[in-house]
Amino acid sequence: MANVDLPSRLFADREEPAGDRVNMYFKLNTIKAVLKALTPEELDTIRPCFGKLLDIYSKPVFSGKLAHFLLTRQLNVVKRHEIWVIFAGKPIRFSLREFGLVTGLNCSPLPPLDRSLLKSPPGVTPYWFTLFGGEEYFTGEMLLAKLRRPKALSPELRVKYACLLLVDGFLSRRSYHMKIPKSHVEMIRDLDAFLAYPWGRYSFDLTMRCIKSRSLDQLAQATVAIQGFIHALVLVFVEAVPAVLSAVSAGTDPESGDEDPFPVIAMKLEPVWDLDGVDEVEVLSVLPVGENVVGIEDCSWPDEVSDPSVDLMLQQLDDGVKFKRAMFGGGIRGADVHVEPPPRVIVKRKRKLRAKASECSTSRGESSRAKKSKVRAARARFASQDSPRDVLDTATALKAALKEAQSDVYAHICVELKSMELRLERSLKDNINSAVAAAISGSVVENVLRDVGIGVGQPYNKSPCSESPSLRQTDPQPSPVVAASGNHSDQCQRPSQLQPPIVNEQNAGPVVQGAANSSIVEGTFPSESSGSRSRSPADEVNEEASTGGDCGQGQIIARDEAVAMSAKYKKLMVSDIPPMSFGDGLVIKDSELLMIPTIIPPGYPNVMDACVSVLRETLFDNTDPASDPRADLLPCKFYGSLAVLYAKFKKVKRKETFEFDPALVNEISTRCKATGRVWLSHIEHLLFPFNIDKNRWIAVHIDLTSHTLTVLDPTAAARRGSRLKPELEFICEMFPYLVRKVGGCDLMKNFPLQPLTFARNTHVSQATNLANSGMLSLLLLEAYATGGMDKAVLVNEDGMRLRAEELAVQMYEHCLGEI
């Protein structure tokens, strides 16, 4: 960290904007209403989840001005889920860990919720009607009004109303009139499951995303609105600076002024401003963890990025460095920030106009006649301006234009309705077909095939001479079936070299799969559209025994190994699997490993990166040098590191001077040195998975030689190519400059700086549902890395489950050894 500096300030020291306050959407009297409405027994029911939160009411009262003071003293860090604030020249961290310490809420990782918890089962009345009757919506204020009359409610309703009010009306409030989500109402049907949910992480994520989205212009305004629970930042500040406790007054209730069993404590802000100018003030930069603290065991984030300046600051804290105000420089003057003035509100009021003396002297009849004469004069002036002929022509033109527009709108609506009808029909057919096929394959076909020793289909519709990309022959003896018809292994050829991708969906013609569609591979049954009828497994074995097949031996051995891998996976399901490390701080748990054959959720990039790590090792270690793929697989964090820098990259006028994250540049250089393969000299194709719309995966291919970025999209129906391109624009623009920055060879140092050309290939196999997009994208990456586009277009969902089980076993054995 010799060349790394401490993070700079957002605003220059003592030049911060003097804001008025932070507008928050919650009210502290919400806690008071809950404390008054619930009995001691009912409070004991919710205290395991909200106990420390209920005690916040007796802490120093929330100050919007103090919150604004802290937000304008942030340090410029690239961390997504934490901020650092400077007070008295010393840094204070506000992260999920500190949030959990001051609120006592469960901050564990968000678990994947069962759909039955968020939506009522078929035939069961939604729980909304049980809690709220026929109300179309319910807000936090309406819940607060209900709890202020607790005697009219049953004990169960009081507890559940209080829980919903604390979550959606206090911790995670987004607006003054936010509606209670129906999913939360359905979840509270099971009160224990609702109380066990990590609401601390849920609330903190909303708060931090809102803080990070506020620009300098917004922070420089007199007021700034923050969603979520910004009061936690004030509580962390009070805990981090013990001297602040001297700036509080005696316990009072600012709402009533009377004696109250639940008083709040007012805070005096003038002493706080004075403490900020004293360098000797004791400040706890990182709050210590007390005894019996639960809910903060795992405060990590799968999408967090590294920040060398923050790492340096933490290291200096461990070394006992005394921070000074002058150590944190930079920032802009608050007076230099252009702030839009607040809109001027003009209140229109009715005024009584007093009539002049001359007008008052006129009689009522004369006033009426004067008004009528003015109206007739105005009509005359209007009639003199346009002739009746002109008015008639204008009216006719308007009617014709309206009629034409009406017909266009009607035609457009008809087309859209028909398109929607076709999409729904296709979706229903696909869902029914996939469900029936899965049931038949899982309960009948798979069992029969395993009994005869063949196994299920592979994820590639291979031609007779193609081999599995990841399975190798281990048995030196030929298969009996192949030996009966002659050994044809000499006729097998290597997978084809990488071919240029099909560039664009507009000019790409239909993909012809050739022999892959005309021949039947073992374990793969032809569909109804092919016109072939299904055959028994015994018929396929007999036919292959008679014809021999070019690579029959390799295929049978590969399937035997796949069946063995599936048996190993079944052992994994009943084994105690410790956390597995894949290097670079990448760790996955047993539940994350076992869910790979079912789904790789978009919210788990660590699982996808672990899969990519194992596939990459297989690519480099188990590939014949004679068929060098000239390809490399990159993890998800590659584009994540670029995404966080894109906002700064756009502001730089001379892009070639932009400084990338040193950790990213160093990581790419290290990868090249470890394998001895440098971009452009030895590697021409870069492949990596990409999380799109936070609900599905796609495969991205960068061709360094043709300067092209191609998306292998297994979910083409979800989004058009024109709408997909902006999501990947940051890679197209930044990647050429990154290649030059790494500069591992002369070709990289002279890499063209124009943006990569965007293309999209929709001729690859399409996922029947979004849950399969993760594994299907991995198979596309694996196929392209070993055989180019010719092999990628042959990938389909047949046997995808078996390949996923095999990958899970490989990942386990990679970390923990043979099963």
Side-chain angles (χ1 to χ4, degrees):
M1 297 184 180
N3 297 327
V4 179
D5 297 328
L6 291 173
S8 61
R9 299 172 180 261
L10 290 183
F11 294 98
D13 186 23
R14 293 187 173 89
E15 297 289 345
E16 297 89 351
D20 185 16
R21 67 183 183 278
V22 166
N23 287 336
M24 72 291 185
Y25 299 108
F26 63 89
K27 296 180 180 179
L28 282 179
N29 60 6
T30 301
I31 298 179
K32 180 180 178 180
V34 172
L35 292 173
K36 284 188 173 182
L38 302 186
T39 64
E41 293 78 11
E42 294 166 353
L43 287 174
D44 292 339
T45 303
I46 66 174
R47 275 195 180 278
C49 180
F50 304 110
K52 196 167 184 178
L53 185 68
L54 298 176
D55 298 334
I56 288 178
Y57 195 71
S58 59
K59 295 292 181 66
V61 69
F62 175 78
S63 171
K65 191 174 185 62
L66 178 57
H68 193 285
F69 172 87
L70 296 174
L71 290 178
T72 55
R73 280 151 180 80
Q74 293 183 62
L75 294 177
N76 188 9
V77 299
V78 299
K79 290 281 190 179
R80 294 181 177 177
H81 302 283
E82 68 180 54
I83 63 173
W84 288 78
V85 177
I86 290 294
F87 184 81
K90 302 172 182 62
I92 302 173
R93 185 175 69 179
F94 177 61
S95 65
L96 179 60
R97 176 180 174 276
E98 283 72 29
F99 186 91
L101 287 175
V102 298
T103 62
L105 297 170
N106 185 2
C107 297
S108 303
L110 298 178
L113 288 176
D114 188 1
R115 184 178 178 85
S116 60
L117 292 176
L118 304 179
K119 190 175 182 180
S120 60
V124 178
T125 303
Y127 203 59
W128 179 275
F129 297 99
T130 303
L131 291 185
F132 305 128
E135 296 288 345
E136 294 184 3
Y137 65 90
F138 228 80
T139 65
E141 296 300 324
M142 298 168 71
L143 278 176
L144 194 60
K146 287 277 189 181
L147 285 177
R148 284 173 176 166
R149 299 191 300 272
K151 295 182 179 180
L153 305 173
S154 64
E156 181 184 6
L157 284 181
R158 281 198 300 268
V159 172
K160 293 185 176 182
Y161 281 171
C163 292
L164 289 174
L165 179 61
L166 290 175
V167 171
D168 297 307
F170 188 70
L171 289 173
S172 309
R173 197 158 182 171
R174 296 178 176 85
S175 64
Y176 288 114
H177 305 290
M178 191 189 95
K179 301 175 183 178
I180 305 299
K182 293 189 176 181
S183 59
H184 290 179
V185 175
E186 192 63 35
M187 189 192 304
I188 209 171
R189 184 195 296 265
D190 186 352
L191 183 60
D192 294 335
F194 186 90
L195 294 176
Y197 191 76
W199 294 114
R201 184 177 290 255
Y202 181 85
S203 174
F204 175 81
D205 187 35
L206 171 64
T207 308
M208 184 56 62
R209 282 190 284 110
C210 187
I211 293 175
K212 289 288 187 179
S213 66
R214 296 299 180 254
S215 62
L216 295 181
D217 298 346
Q218 292 173 308
L219 293 177
Q221 294 177 356
T223 60
V224 57
I226 301 294
Q227 298 174 337
F229 191 56
I230 189 61
H231 184 42
L233 176 60
V234 177
L235 296 175
V236 170
F237 171 72
V238 173
E239 295 288 340
V241 188
V244 173
L245 295 178
S246 62
V248 299
S249 61
T252 58
D253 184 4
E255 297 176 358
S256 62
D258 301 329
E259 294 184 1
D260 195 284
F262 310 107
V264 296
I265 301 176
M267 178 180 291
K268 300 176 182 178
L269 299 181
E270 290 78 6
V272 177
W273 308 155
D274 297 337
L275 286 174
D276 185 38
V278 181
D279 293 338
E280 291 75 18
V281 176
E282 180 185 358
V283 175
L284 300 176
S285 297
V286 178
L287 297 186
V289 179
E291 298 180 358
N292 301 325
V293 178
V294 296
I296 61 171
E297 292 81 4
D298 185 3
C299 292
S300 61
W301 296 89
D303 60 340
E304 186 58 279
V305 296
S306 61
D307 189 338
S309 61
V310 174
D311 296 338
L312 175 62
M313 189 162 48
L314 290 173
Q315 180 179 344
Q316 292 185 355
L317 284 172
D318 294 337
D319 297 340
V321 175
K322 299 296 184 181
F323 290 99
K324 301 294 183 181
R325 186 182 300 271
M327 298 173 66
F328 300 94
I332 63 175
R333 298 177 65 250
D336 295 339
V337 180
H338 176 68
V339 179
E340 294 290 339
R344 184 179 179 184
V345 180
I346 301 177
V347 180
K348 296 183 178 180
R349 299 178 180 177
K350 294 182 179 180
R351 294 183 300 172
K352 295 182 179 181
L353 299 179
R354 296 184 178 180
K356 297 181 180 180
S358 59
E359 293 177 353
C360 294
S361 60
T362 60
S363 64
R364 186 179 184 86
E366 291 176 348
S367 176
S368 177
R369 284 194 298 272
K371 291 180 181 179
K372 292 180 180 179
S373 63
K374 291 180 180 179
V375 172
R376 293 192 187 99
R379 290 178 179 176
R381 288 195 302 271
F382 178 77
S384 63
Q385 291 178 359
D386 295 324
S387 63
R389 181 70 178 180
D390 295 337
V391 174
L392 183 61
D393 293 342
T394 303
T396 304
L398 287 174
K399 288 181 180 179
L402 289 174
K403 186 175 182 181
E404 182 180 358
Q406 182 180 3
S407 61
D408 292 341
V409 171
Y410 178 75
H412 179 72
I413 292 176
C414 291
V415 171
E416 291 295 328
L417 289 176
K418 186 63 178 179
S419 176
M420 185 184 300
E421 180 183 353
L422 293 176
R423 288 198 301 269
L424 289 174
E425 182 180 359
R426 190 182 305 112
S427 176
L428 288 174
K429 287 183 178 179
D430 292 342
N431 291 338
I432 294 174
N433 292 338
S434 62
V436 173
I440 295 177
S441 176
S443 60
V444 180
V445 178
E446 184 176 354
N447 294 333
V448 173
L449 293 179
R450 293 184 187 276
D451 291 341
V452 300
I454 296 178
V456 296
Q458 293 296 318
Y460 304 96
N461 277 338
K462 296 174 289 190
S463 59
C465 64
S466 62
E467 297 181 358
S468 174
S470 59
L471 298 176
R472 296 168 291 165
Q473 299 184 12
T474 58
D475 189 0
Q477 301 297 328
S479 172
V481 177
V482 178
S485 58
N487 188 358
H488 298 272
S489 59
D490 295 337
Q491 301 178 12
C492 297
Q493 299 177 357
R494 304 276 181 195
S496 60
Q497 296 294 322
L498 291 172
Q499 301 294 331
I502 300 175
V503 289
N504 207 332
E505 59 183 341
Q506 284 81 8
N507 56 14
V511 176
V512 180
Q513 298 184 1
N517 290 335
S518 60
S519 62
I520 300 176
V521 182
E522 283 185 308
T524 305
F525 291 88
S527 60
E528 295 180 0
S529 60
S530 63
S532 302
R533 61 184 182 87
S534 302
R535 297 171 296 167
S536 66
D539 295 337
E540 294 187 10
V541 174
N542 294 333
E543 180 179 347
E544 186 167 355
S546 61
T547 58
D550 292 339
C551 295
Q553 178 183 2
Q555 292 177 6
I556 292 177
I557 293 177
R559 287 195 177 85
D560 291 341
E561 290 185 1
V563 172
M565 286 288 185
S566 181
K568 289 184 178 181
Y569 178 76
K570 291 180 179 179
K571 293 182 181 179
L572 284 181
M573 297 180 65
V574 296
S575 302
D576 186 12
I577 306 174
M580 292 166 290
S581 174
F582 294 86
D584 296 333
L586 183 61
V587 179
I588 66 172
K589 304 176 182 178
D590 55 346
S591 59
E592 296 171 340
L593 177 69
L594 296 177
M595 72 182 178
I596 291 176
T598 304
I599 181 177
I600 303 179
Y604 289 78
N606 60 322
V607 178
M608 182 63 79
D609 284 351
C611 296
V612 170
S613 175
V614 174
L615 289 178
R616 182 175 184 266
E617 180 178 348
T618 304
L619 175 67
F620 283 129
D621 295 346
N622 301 334
T623 302
D624 190 344
S627 59
D628 185 3
R630 298 184 68 83
D632 192 8
L633 301 179
L634 299 177
C636 301
K637 65 179 182 179
F638 163 73
Y639 63 81
S641 300
L642 290 180
V644 298
L645 300 174
Y646 186 53
K648 296 182 180 179
F649 179 81
K650 290 192 299 183
K651 297 178 181 179
V652 177
K653 294 182 179 180
R654 297 183 59 191
K655 307 296 185 184
E656 60 274 8
T657 63
F658 181 76
E659 292 295 331
F660 286 90
D661 186 1
L664 174 63
V665 177
N666 182 59
E667 181 180 357
I668 296 175
S669 301
T670 304
R671 288 168 66 94
C672 294
K673 292 178 181 178
T675 58
R677 303 183 182 186
V678 182
W679 290 359
L680 289 172
S681 295
H682 308 93
I683 294 177
E684 299 175 352
H685 305 270
L686 300 176
L687 302 132
F688 55 89
F690 190 90
N691 178 9
I692 188 72
D693 291 342
K694 297 183 179 180
N695 64 358
R696 65 187 189 279
W697 294 96
I698 59 177
V700 179
H701 163 238
I702 296 179
D703 191 337
L704 297 174
T705 56
S706 65
H707 214 70
T708 304
L709 183 148
T710 304
V711 174
L712 308 180
D713 194 352
T715 57
R719 178 182 283 213
R720 297 192 301 269
S722 59
R723 297 183 58 192
L724 183 63
K725 181 179 179 181
E727 299 291 338
L728 298 168
E729 188 175 6
F730 71 97
I731 300 179
C732 295
E733 294 184 5
M734 299 179 68
F735 184 77
Y737 295 92
L738 176 63
V739 174
R740 281 204 177 184
K741 186 68 176 179
V742 176
C745 61
D746 293 337
L747 293 175
M748 295 179 66
K749 294 178 182 178
N750 298 320
F751 193 71
L753 293 181
Q754 63 266 25
L756 301 178
T757 303
F758 177 84
R760 185 188 187 208
N761 191 318
T762 59
H763 296 292
V764 296
S765 179
Q766 297 298 299
T768 56
N769 55 70
L770 296 182
N772 295 342
S773 63
M775 194 62 206
L776 195 56
S777 297
L778 279 177
L779 295 179
L780 289 173
L781 297 176
E782 181 186 32
Y784 199 101
T786 56
M789 185 56 66
D790 292 341
K791 195 170 184 178
V793 296
L794 302 181
V795 173
N796 57 37
E797 291 182 336
D798 295 338
M800 185 177 64
R801 167 79 185 196
L802 187 59
R803 178 67 184 98
E805 292 178 359
E806 177 188 2
L807 179 59
V809 172
Q810 290 177 344
M811 295 171 65
Y812 177 88
E813 294 182 344
H814 171 82
C815 298
L816 304 175
E818 188 75 18
I819 298 178

